């Protein structure tokens, strides 16, 4: 909004300082929305000019470029990370589909993931088509709202969702007020074509009570304002208030109570030599971390592709929400062990090996260190040929690298589970079919099975295919087993997860003596059900076989620093996701980085005692600093030029 005010100032007086500063603040606040924000500024700039020319276009580009240059220290490293780690888990729409106008008006009206405006804004857009002075701006805004291609571009080519249109709300409101004012003063009459266009959305929007009230009051208020009295503007303001309240109720924000609870759990002091994970509200707490806490979770549209593939495709964490771009904390003991998660907070599922040290706080001294050395290796090509779940203990007990030894033999065993049904919901029907079972669940349902075998100290692995899912276009399908949830998203999800093969890795300190299953509503088949077990000691003892880095993590600007005693030539292994920017120093010398375990930073290391140091410097950061410096100089030049122009004007 300040930048829009700065546009007026820039056009009237030629002073660009406020405009540059406003754009810098926009970028600093959100590089993502700043792109759409700059387009919104340019749209308003073109409208205010009345007569557009290439010279005027260049005049706008100049302050915008300076603002972007000043932000270079933030933008360049961010852009590098975006290009290095392209989106995963979402499908790119076809060009044809992006050019087809949307069949709904959610981008403008009512929806909480768009502008969320009231019907009056649509009336303003339609009425403005009759005004030559603002018609081009109105058509441009309508194209942005209805043509998915524009949203696709403004969302960084991730998806065509309409949240980017939020930045155009001030323009739409301005256009509506401007149009009503012009109609009132010029006594412009409404014709039948305009009335048809005004009523057109009624064919596509849900006719609930508040929408019908909005339409009636908006039409009545507009007519009263234009024909009788300006005081009708107060009537026009009432329903947008109600609509705003109703629309915001659609958002599923984290409650204040939940946020405070999560924050208190996140502030627990833990040992510096291991990670700390919250298995408490994992989705809400995924991006919450203190400076000295190393976490495994992340929820972002863009994340490290290698880590994402390791998380879901190799170590087989459950896909518990509608997409697979979110890496959430969970109870997979293979994952927790490899990532060095020494401490967890959980009020429900606690994986095997974790002993209680405080209320709901558990610790496992047998997880792998965050940085360690090992000579046990497994060839990457051979590993790629292994079938699941033999990959799990193989990667845990070795470092997977090029030209590894591949001597290890998996100790995971197939299991013919013996069980007795204990309880089943009345609304659940299970029918035996070829290679599996058909589930018919009328609403959420449950099933409890009593295991009649001894699974003490065992890790239980379950996998099956989800097939013939009915209603998959309109609802998610999920199955929970002993607190672990897998979900197949509906096909209309922003990031469809395509999760039709469910995997569960279950463990607990007590013997696994029952399976508690929960089914979501719907009809679907479970096929090719397979079960396996592994004795926990197979991976528990691994931590005693590696050389641990004795030192500190995340201190003094260094990722890790310390000493390590290597007993045999091998590899220095970390659980730091592999990407540009990491530098590993062994005895002060820069080592050659290699990708280990399919996703992480590592390097070769020789026998003996070594001093290790791992640092991270964001790529292009130095260039970004230099460009920011140039941008600041150009800003000072612009301010100086404006001051000189003021002095010249005073002399005149």
């Amino acid at each position: 909004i300040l930048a829009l005010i700065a546009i007026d100032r820039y056009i009237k007086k030629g002073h660009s300082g406020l405009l540059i500063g406003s754009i810098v603040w926009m970028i600093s606040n959100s590089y993502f929305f700043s792109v759409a924000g700059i387009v919104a500024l340019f749209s308003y700039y073109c409208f205010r000019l009345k007569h557009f020319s290439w010279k005027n276009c260049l005049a706008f580009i100049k302050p915008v470029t300076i603002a972007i240059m000043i932000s270079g220290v933030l933008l360049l490293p961010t852009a590098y990370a975006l290009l290095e780690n392209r989106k995963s888990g979402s499908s790119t729409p076809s060009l044809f589909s992006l050019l087809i106008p949307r069949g709904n008006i959610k981008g403008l009206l009512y929806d909480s993931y768009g502008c969320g405006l009231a019907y009056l804004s649509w009336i303003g857009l339609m009425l403005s088509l009759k005004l030559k002075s603002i018609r081009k701006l109105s058509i441009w805004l309508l194209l942005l709202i209805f043509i998915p291609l524009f949203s696709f571009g403004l969302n960084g080519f991730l998806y065509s969702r309409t949240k980017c249109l939020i930045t155009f709300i001030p323009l739409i409101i301005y256009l509506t007020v401007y149009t009503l004012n012009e109609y009132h003063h010029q006594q412009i009459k409404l014709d039948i074509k305009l009335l048809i266009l005004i009523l057109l959305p009624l064919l596509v929007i849900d006719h609930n009570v508040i929408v019908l009230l909005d339409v009636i009051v908006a039409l009545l208020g507009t007519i009263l304002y234009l024909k009788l009295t300006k005081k009708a503007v107060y009537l026009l303001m009432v329903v947008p208030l109600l609509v705003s309240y109703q629309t915001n109720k659609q958002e599923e924000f984290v409650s204040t109570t939940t946020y405070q609870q999560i924050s208190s759990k996140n502030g627990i002091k833990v040992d510096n030599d291991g990670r700390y994970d919250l298995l408490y509200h994992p989705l809400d707490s995924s991006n919450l971390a203190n400076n000295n806490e190393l976490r495994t979770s992340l929820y972002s549209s863009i994340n490290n592709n290698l880590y994402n593939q390791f998380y879901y495709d190799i170590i087989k964490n459950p896909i518990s929400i509608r997409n697979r771009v979110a890496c959430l904390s969970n109870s997979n003991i293979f994952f927790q062990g490899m990532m060095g998660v020494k401490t967890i907070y959980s009020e429900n599922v606690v994986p095997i090996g974790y002993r209680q040290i405080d209320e709901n706080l558990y610790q496992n001294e047998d997880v792998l260190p965050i940085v360690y050395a090992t000579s046990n290796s497994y060839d990457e090509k051979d590993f790629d040929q292994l079938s699941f779940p033999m990959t799990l203990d193989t990667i845990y007990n070795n470092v997977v690298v090029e030209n590894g030894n591949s001597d290890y033999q998996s100790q995971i065993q197939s299991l013919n589970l013996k069980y007795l049904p204990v309880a089943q919901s009345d609304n659940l029907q299970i029918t035996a079919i070829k290679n599996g079972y058909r589930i018919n669940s009328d609403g959420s349902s449950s099933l409890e099975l009593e295991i009649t075998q001894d699974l003490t100290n065992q890790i239980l692995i379950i996998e099956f295919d989800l097939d013939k899912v009915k209603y998959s276009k309109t609802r998610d399908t999920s199955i929970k087993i002993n607190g672990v949830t897998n979900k197949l998203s509906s096909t209309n999800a922003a990031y469809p997860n395509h999760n039709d093969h469910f995997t569960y890795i279950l463990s607990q300190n007590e013997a696994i003596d029952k399976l508690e299953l929960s089914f979501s509503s719907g009809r679907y088949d479970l096929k090719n059900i397979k079960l396996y077990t592994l004795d926990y000691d197979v991976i528990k003892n691994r931590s005693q076989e590696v050389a641990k880095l004795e030192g500190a993590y995340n201190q003094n600007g260094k990722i890790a620093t310390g000493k390590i005693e290597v007993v045999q030539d091998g590899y220095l292994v970390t659980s730091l996701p592999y990407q540009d920017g990491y530098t590993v120093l062994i005895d002060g010398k820069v080592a050659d980085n290699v990708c280990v375990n399919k996703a992480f930073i590592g390097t070769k290391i020789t026998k003996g005692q070594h001093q290790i140091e791992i640092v991270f410097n964001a790529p292009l950061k130095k260039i970004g600093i230099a460009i920011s410096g140039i941008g600041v100089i150009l800003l000072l030049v612009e301010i100086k030029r404006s001051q000189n122009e003021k002095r010249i004007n005073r002399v005149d």
Side-chain angles (χ1 to χ4, degrees), residues 177-240:
V177 174
Y178 179 94
T179 300
L180 290 176
N181 190 52
E182 287 295 305
Y183 268 72
H184 181 79
H185 286 294
Q186 298 182 30
Q187 295 296 308
I188 300 173
K189 295 182 179 180
L190 300 176
D191 56 40
I192 188 67
K193 292 180 181 178
L194 281 177
L195 286 173
I196 292 173
L197 288 173
I198 287 171
L199 295 173
L200 198 60
L202 292 178
L203 300 175
V204 294
I205 59 178
D206 297 328
H207 297 168
N208 57 43
V209 175
I210 195 164
V211 171
L212 286 174
L213 176 66
D214 184 24
V215 173
I216 293 169
V217 174
L219 288 171
L220 179 63
T222 301
I223 293 170
L224 290 174
Y225 176 79
L226 296 179
K227 301 298 182 182
L228 295 178
T229 174
K230 280 188 174 183
K231 291 183 179 180
V233 74
Y234 297 114
L235 181 64
L236 289 173
M237 291 169 63
V238 173
V239 178

Side-chain angles (χ1 to χ4, degrees), residues 341-380:
V341 180
K342 189 175 179 180
T343 311
I344 63 170
Y345 181 95
S346 178
E347 296 183 3
N348 188 10
V349 181
V350 178
I352 192 169
Y354 285 87
R355 307 296 175 182
Q356 188 166 6
I357 59 173
D358 205 340
E359 184 179 3
N360 299 319
L361 196 64
Y362 302 84
Q363 197 167 80
N364 187 347
E365 298 290 346
D366 296 318
V367 298
L368 289 170
I370 296 174
V371 179
Y372 63 90
T374 181
S375 59
N376 303 110
S377 63
Y378 202 92
D379 184 70
E380 187 172 15

Side-chain angles (χ1 to χ4, degrees), residues 34 36 62 103 216 286 337 442 446 450 524 541 564 583 625:
S34 66
K62 182 181 176 181
I216 293 169
S286 58
D442 184 14
S446 61
E450 179 185 345
Y524 37 89
N541 299 328
I564 192 167
T583 301
I625 292 173

Side-chain angles (χ1 to χ4, degrees), residues 177-432:
V177 174
Y178 179 94
T179 300
L180 290 176
N181 190 52
E182 287 295 305
Y183 268 72
H184 181 79
H185 286 294
Q186 298 182 30
Q187 295 296 308
I188 300 173
K189 295 182 179 180
L190 300 176
D191 56 40
I192 188 67
K193 292 180 181 178
L194 281 177
L195 286 173
I196 292 173
L197 288 173
I198 287 171
L199 295 173
L200 198 60
L202 292 178
L203 300 175
V204 294
I205 59 178
D206 297 328
H207 297 168
N208 57 43
V209 175
I210 195 164
V211 171
L212 286 174
L213 176 66
D214 184 24
V215 173
I216 293 169
V217 174
L219 288 171
L220 179 63
T222 301
I223 293 170
L224 290 174
Y225 176 79
L226 296 179
K227 301 298 182 182
L228 295 178
T229 174
K230 280 188 174 183
K231 291 183 179 180
V233 74
Y234 297 114
L235 181 64
L236 289 173
M237 291 169 63
V238 173
V239 178
L241 258 177
L242 297 175
V243 168
S244 178
Y245 175 75
Q246 182 69 19
T247 301
N248 279 293
K249 282 175 64 178
Q250 298 173 26
E251 285 287 357
E252 296 180 1
F253 293 110
V254 177
S255 67
T256 303
T257 302
T258 300
Y259 177 77
Q260 290 173 345
Q261 289 173 345
I262 292 172
S263 298
S264 65
K265 310 300 183 290
N266 198 57
I268 297 172
K269 291 186 178 181
V270 296
D271 294 342
N272 180 258
D273 62 345
R275 286 187 169 90
Y276 166 61
D277 262 359
L278 277 168
L279 306 190
Y280 177 77
H281 288 271
L283 178 59
D284 298 333
S285 63
S286 58
N287 288 346
L288 186 65
N290 291 335
N291 289 333
N292 5 331
E293 284 177 4
L294 294 169
R295 298 283 305 278
T296 64
S297 59
L298 175 72
Y299 191 0
S300 172
S301 298
I302 301 284
N303 56 38
N304 186 295
N305 279 345
L306 291 176
Y307 181 67
N308 185 277
Q309 291 166 9
F310 170 83
Y311 182 94
Y312 284 117
D313 301 329
I314 296 175
I315 214 68
K316 293 293 183 181
N317 285 313
I319 304 179
S320 58
I321 62 172
R322 302 186 77 187
N323 62 58
R324 54 168 285 159
V325 298
C327 300
L328 308 181
S329 303
N330 67 87
S331 60
N332 181 343
I333 186 58
F334 293 100
F335 175 70
Q336 300 291 0
M338 285 194 68
M339 295 302 296
V341 180
K342 189 175 179 180
T343 311
I344 63 170
Y345 181 95
S346 178
E347 296 183 3
N348 188 10
V349 181
V350 178
I352 192 169
Y354 285 87
R355 307 296 175 182
Q356 188 166 6
I357 59 173
D358 205 340
E359 184 179 3
N360 299 319
L361 196 64
Y362 302 84
Q363 197 167 80
N364 187 347
E365 298 290 346
D366 296 318
V367 298
L368 289 170
I370 296 174
V371 179
Y372 63 90
T374 181
S375 59
N376 303 110
S377 63
Y378 202 92
D379 184 70
E380 187 172 15
K381 291 181 180 178
D382 291 339
F383 180 81
D384 291 339
Q385 299 302 314
L386 287 176
S387 59
F388 176 83
M390 285 62 190
T391 49
L392 293 175
D393 63 323
T394 300
I395 195 171
Y396 200 101
N397 286 301
N398 298 274
V399 54
V400 176
V401 291
E402 289 186 358
N403 303 316
N405 295 325
S406 302
D407 294 333
Y408 183 83
Q409 295 295 319
S410 174
Q411 298 183 51
I412 291 177
Q413 303 292 324
S414 295
L415 174 68
N416 183 17
L417 187 67
K418 298 177 182 179
Y419 61 89
L420 293 172
V422 176
Q424 180 176 326
S425 298
D426 294 336
N427 61 339
L428 174 65
Q429 292 182 353
I430 302 177
T431 307

Side-chain angles (χ1 to χ4, degrees), residues 47-95:
F47 164 72
R48 291 285 285 113
L49 283 176
K50 306 298 182 184
H51 301 290
F52 180 78
S53 68
W54 287 110
K55 182 179 179 181
N56 290 329
C57 180
L58 292 173
F60 179 81
I61 291 174
K62 182 181 176 181
V64 172
T65 301
I66 293 174
I68 293 173
M69 290 178 69
I70 292 173
S71 308
V73 65
L74 296 174
L75 290 180
L76 277 181
T78 302
Y80 189 94
L82 292 173
L83 292 173
E84 185 184 16
N85 302 293
R86 294 182 184 275
K87 61 182 176 180
S88 57
S90 62
S91 55
T92 302
S94 65
L95 179 61

